[in-house]
Amino acid sequence: MKTSEIMATLQAKYPGENEYLQAVQEVLESVEEVYNQHPEFEQAKIVERMVEPDRIFTFRVTWIDDEGQVQTNTGYRVQFNSAIGPYKGGLRFHKAVTPSMLKFLGFEQTFKNALTTLPMGGAKGGSDFNPRGRSDAEIMRFCQAFMTELWQCIGPDQDIPAGDVGVGGREIGYLYGMYKKLAREYNTGVLTGKGSTWGGSVLRPEATGYGALYFTQHLLEKAGKDLKGKKIALSGFGNVAWGAAKKAVELGAKVVTISGPDGCCEISKGITPEMIDYMLVMRASNHDRAQDMVDRFPDQAVFHPGKKAWSVPCDIALPCAFQNELSEDDARELVENGCWCCCEVSNMGCQPGAIHYFQHNGVLFAPGKAVNAGGVATSGLEMTQNAEHISWSGKEVDEKLHWIMHSIHEQCVKYGTQPDGSVDYVKGANIAGFMKVATAMLEQGII
Ligand code: GLU
């Protein structure tokens, strides 16, 4: 396999699908050497098959807004790969959603899910619906309209969606309610991220952020460092940033920023528990404004309009918002201001130039598919509880999440350790995920 040849074919076939092409390029570059040591992979054309989604469903979603106006959006479900289990991955509601974005997310999800140790294939879905400024009733009507099409594509043993950007517990509730009505089937295992009284797993809302901090702890420990007293610059203020902030503070670090599309809040004394709780209010308001935090806590935070979290001096950067949110220039600014570690919590949060800059300037760096896998892993734990009709305690779920994050770190070390003893976490995560999916595909024949 030659990465450049496969990329040239994909570029010609899918011009302009930049996020998808970027995600594929990153994985292929990492695995090329190992792949070429396995002629059986080449013979079965594993890579050529793996970069194409199994199927993509596209549908019209029509709903009525609070003014009585008819609105139309596009909905998608990309079922990417089912080699190691049923399709699994979140739904994203965001104005910038395109097939390219969902293909990149579904491709990443395939390897991330493989790293979790649980039997889950990869998928992603969503819509170009923009939740900003929408009322609760509008969100409900949109979710119901979206499900009138999606329900035929999913099922508890077939494809299990969950949340992602713009889709949290509230949206999963509305989606599940409509699914139940349409499918006349009462299996809660069809969606994860549910409410705790009707099949949701305790700790699922926190799991992506908690898992990211557990991974960061392992990475720091391996490098002979720890989290205590370290300054963390964190971007976003949604569910993932919330969980990360909570656990970071609990582990003794100091979170000095949150951010949004409007700018960055600098919290020089460190985020407080009240501020962390307020992040939930900000997310539920659909204002999509980080400035709301400064309006609510004017003595404790300063707002920098139009700035990113990366302009504030820190030890550790945790991108928790959106793909490509950290550029090479941002990486340079971070390093100049003393940052020495970046754990990507958002999916593909760092641009390729930023990763390159970090890796060439001695910054400890780990990619999203390893760092943020605790979210989908806890979704997997939710599915197990649903299938057994039981619920585990917070302690049980947390122990399992800890074990999974430890195991992901071990897999990265196994496949990413370099001759000088350092760990290339990008390579480690990509090769570990790839080997598992490729081997399963090979064993299941040419399909
Ligand atoms: N959207 C999350 C992710 O990127 C969670 C997916 C899930 O729980 O299925 O991994």
Side-chain angles (χ1 to χ4, degrees):
M1 174 268 278
K2 262 213 159 90
T3 299
S4 52
E5 280 170 17
I6 295 185
M7 288 314 299
T9 310
L10 291 177
Q11 267 148 9
K13 198 167 165 191
Y14 302 114
E17 295 200 1
N18 298 333
E19 298 104 332
Y20 162 69
L21 295 168
Q22 180 186 334
V24 172
Q25 167 114 25
E26 186 209 285
V27 170
L28 297 194
E29 271 173 4
S30 297
V31 303
E32 183 170 338
E33 201 186 320
V34 173
Y35 187 89
N36 288 335
Q37 290 159 11
H38 290 266
E40 68 280 16
F41 287 167
E42 182 65 31
Q43 203 186 359
K45 293 277 178 279
I46 293 289
V47 153
E48 287 81 345
R49 290 158 57 201
M50 202 186 261
V51 297
E52 294 282 351
D54 287 356
R55 62 192 72 79
I56 303 180
F57 297 101
T58 305
F59 45 90
R60 174 174 55 76
V61 185
T62 295
W63 55 286
I64 297 180
D65 70 17
D66 285 348
E67 272 72 55
Q69 298 295 316
V70 176
Q71 300 284 347
T72 293
N73 291 99
T74 308
Y76 308 92
R77 185 69 180 165
V78 178
Q79 295 183 335
F80 218 103
N81 188 299
S82 63
I84 64 168
Y87 301 105
K88 179 81 194 93
L91 297 171
R92 178 172 289 194
F93 292 169
H94 188 278
K95 63 176 192 272
V97 162
T98 57
S100 165
M101 194 192 288
L102 298 178
K103 278 169 71 181
F104 120 64
L105 288 162
F107 182 72
E108 288 280 296
Q109 197 82 42
T110 302
F111 302 104
K112 181 198 311 195
N113 293 2
L115 290 172
T116 64
T117 73
L118 304 173
M120 300 182 289
K124 206 84 188 191
S127 174
D128 58 358
F129 168 72
N130 183 5
R132 184 187 285 184
R134 291 296 177 192
S135 69
D136 190 61
E138 288 177 317
I139 301 276
M140 181 177 77
R141 286 197 295 276
F142 177 78
C143 288
Q144 291 176 338
F146 183 82
M147 189 51 89
T148 58
E149 286 288 335
L150 183 73
W151 77 278
Q152 308 208 51
C153 320
I154 62 174
D157 298 316
Q158 182 188 350
D159 182 352
I160 305 96
D164 195 79
V165 175
V167 179
R170 168 182 57 178
E171 290 76 11
I172 294 293
Y174 296 146
L175 290 164
Y176 181 69
M178 199 60 180
Y179 176 84
K180 207 169 63 164
K181 204 165 161 64
L182 293 163
R184 299 213 181 163
E185 182 222 86
Y186 307 95
N187 191 332
T188 50
V190 68
L191 289 165
T192 59
K194 298 178 291 292
S196 59
T197 57
W198 47 280
S201 176
V202 60
L203 281 192
R204 176 63 189 88
E206 293 89 343
T208 309
Y210 278 24
L213 266 296
Y214 297 155
F215 189 93
T216 306
Q217 269 187 313
H218 287 301
L219 174 140
L220 294 184
E221 194 188 322
K222 173 96 185 133
K225 298 174 188 285
D226 70 37
L227 267 172
K228 286 244 155 26
K230 302 298 177 315
K231 276 199 249 170
I232 296 186
L234 186 149
S235 62
F237 61 83
N239 173 261
V240 173
W242 167 74
K246 249 176 110 164
K247 190 49 87 178
V249 170
E250 197 183 304
L251 296 174
K254 192 162 140 185
V255 174
V256 293
T257 61
I258 62 151
S259 68
D262 54 333
C264 152
C265 299
E266 182 173 356
I267 313 160
S268 45
K269 292 220 172 87
I271 203 163
T272 62
E274 295 73 32
M275 294 167 109
I276 295 174
D277 288 346
Y278 193 66
M279 288 164 85
L280 295 177
V281 179
M282 289 164 65
R283 149 85 175 94
S285 75
N286 291 339
H287 290 163
D288 207 10
R289 261 166 48 107
Q291 196 179 347
D292 286 359
M293 179 65 87
V294 181
D295 294 347
R296 172 72 184 74
F297 298 95
D299 302 335
Q300 294 169 63
V302 177
F303 188 62
H304 301 297
K307 289 265 182 211
K308 293 186 186 177
W310 322 130
S311 56
V312 174
C314 66
D315 297 296
I316 299 168
L318 296 183
C320 294
F322 215 60
Q323 72 264 7
N324 290 328
E325 57 174 306
L326 199 156
S327 68
E328 185 172 344
D329 285 347
D330 296 327
R332 189 173 299 114
E333 188 171 6
L334 278 164
V335 173
E336 278 166 10
N337 284 333
C339 171
W340 46 266
C341 173
C342 173
C343 285
E344 194 182 52
V345 194
S346 43
N347 291 308
M348 208 165 76
C350 295
Q351 295 179 18
I355 299 176
H356 199 253
Y357 189 85
F358 284 143
Q359 290 181 327
H360 284 84
N361 284 278
V363 174
L364 294 164
F365 176 79
K369 61 172 79 64
V371 178
N372 73 28
V376 72
T378 308
S379 278
L381 301 177
E382 183 170 327
M383 288 160 66
T384 305
Q385 294 169 76
N386 295 156
E388 292 185 5
H389 302 284
I390 50 162
S391 17
W392 295 328
S393 67
K395 187 168 171 283
E396 275 175 292
V397 176
D398 200 34
E399 273 169 16
K400 289 182 169 63
L401 174 61
H402 256 294
W403 183 85
I404 289 170
M405 297 317 295
H406 175 252
S407 150
I408 295 173
H409 184 262
E410 293 285 286
Q411 293 175 68
C412 291
V413 171
K414 176 172 171 198
Y415 288 102
T417 299
Q418 301 302 292
D420 67 359
S422 67
V423 182
D424 181 336
Y425 285 88
V426 175
K427 222 172 171 175
N430 284 335
I431 297 177
F434 176 86
M435 288 304 286
K436 191 166 169 188
V437 178
T439 307
M441 286 176 71
L442 196 66
E443 288 172 5
Q444 290 170 30
I446 309 297
I447 50 166

